[in-house]
Amino acid sequence: IPILPGTDSAVALAMCNYILNTLHVYDSLYLKAKTNLPYLVVSNGRYVRDKDSRKPLIFDEREKKVKVFDDPDMAYEDCSLDIECEVDGKKCVPAFMVLKEHLKKFALEWASEISTVPADTIRRIATEWVENAKIGSTISIDGKSFPYRPVSSVIFRGAQGHTNGIHQVAAIDLLSELVGAED
């Protein structure tokens, strides 16, 4: 798909917005187990931390209470990605909710203007990305079960080889993170 060089991040961010806020599809188990998106944050964006250990806090959906992120009595599947709660009188939400809200400003039309890729094409590619990620599928290798996510975003010198290239890399990498296909 032809794209104006250097505008990869605009398309990637618009795809992420569409995936999370329109399609509402993502690998929640991966996000809970392998990212900091369940960590609770306050309005200034800082993590809410345990007073004693200083470890980030998360919300345990099963027990309906706040815990440190590595509590040995909690399975990662039980932490919440989308709850509002209070800790010490301060309203908190998981970082995932902050990400979803942040991505709303990256509309398909916005990315189309910047990148020259038509909004319908970005929408189609985002939909195909999610469909082909096969979220929830597994594959058996030598008798062990692994997540099966047959999508990949590969970044070489194009996106990372210029000023602020790390921002392009992070935006493109987020596409993989959302569907559990990191690395």
Side-chain angles (χ1 to χ4, degrees):
I1 296 171
I3 187 170
L4 184 66
T7 63
D8 311 68
S9 56
V11 172
L13 290 169
M15 288 174 64
C16 289
N17 175 34
Y18 187 74
I19 289 167
L20 284 184
N21 292 308
T22 302
L23 297 177
H24 307 286
V25 177
Y26 49 90
D27 189 336
S28 64
L29 290 179
Y30 175 85
L31 296 178
K32 290 176 180 184
K34 302 291 185 179
T35 75
N36 62 356
L37 291 175
Y39 290 13
L40 296 174
V41 295
V42 289
S43 61
N44 67 3
R46 295 188 182 269
Y47 292 145
V48 181
R49 296 183 180 273
D50 180 69
K51 288 179 184 174
D52 298 323
S53 69
R54 303 301 300 150
K55 292 180 178 181
L57 298 174
I58 59 173
F59 189 84
D60 183 332
E61 290 179 336
R62 187 174 42 84
E63 293 189 28
K64 306 292 186 219
K65 68 181 195 178
V66 174
K67 296 181 172 183
V68 292
F69 79 98
D70 62 351
D71 185 304
D73 297 327
M74 186 181 71
Y76 67 86
E77 297 94 349
D78 293 334
C79 63
S80 179
L81 291 174
D82 59 356
I83 192 164
E84 287 187 20
C85 62
E86 278 193 22
V87 175
D88 296 331
K90 294 180 182 175
K91 185 178 120 181
C92 309
V93 297
F96 179 73
M97 290 178 64
V98 175
L99 175 65
K100 282 180 66 172
E101 189 62 33
H102 174 72
L103 288 172
K104 287 181 180 178
K105 64 183 167 187
F106 303 113
L108 298 173
E109 295 74 18
W110 167 83
S112 179
E113 281 184 36
I114 290 171
S115 68
T116 69
V117 178
D120 285 342
T121 301
I122 300 171
R123 182 181 297 108
R124 178 180 57 82
I125 296 301
T127 302
E128 290 175 0
W129 177 260
V130 168
E131 290 170 352
N132 286 287
K134 301 187 184 303
I135 296 170
S137 297
T138 59
I139 188 169
S140 182
I141 301 173
D142 294 331
K144 294 183 180 179
S145 182
F146 297 95
Y148 179 60
R149 305 292 178 274
V151 294
S152 176
S153 58
V154 180
I155 305 162
F156 291 110
R157 293 286 299 155
Q160 68 188 14
H162 58 83
T163 304
N164 295 322
I166 187 62
H167 301 291
Q168 298 226 65
V169 171
I172 293 166
D173 194 46
L174 183 57
L175 283 168
S176 294
E177 293 277 339
L178 294 179
V179 298
E182 179 63 18
D183 293 333

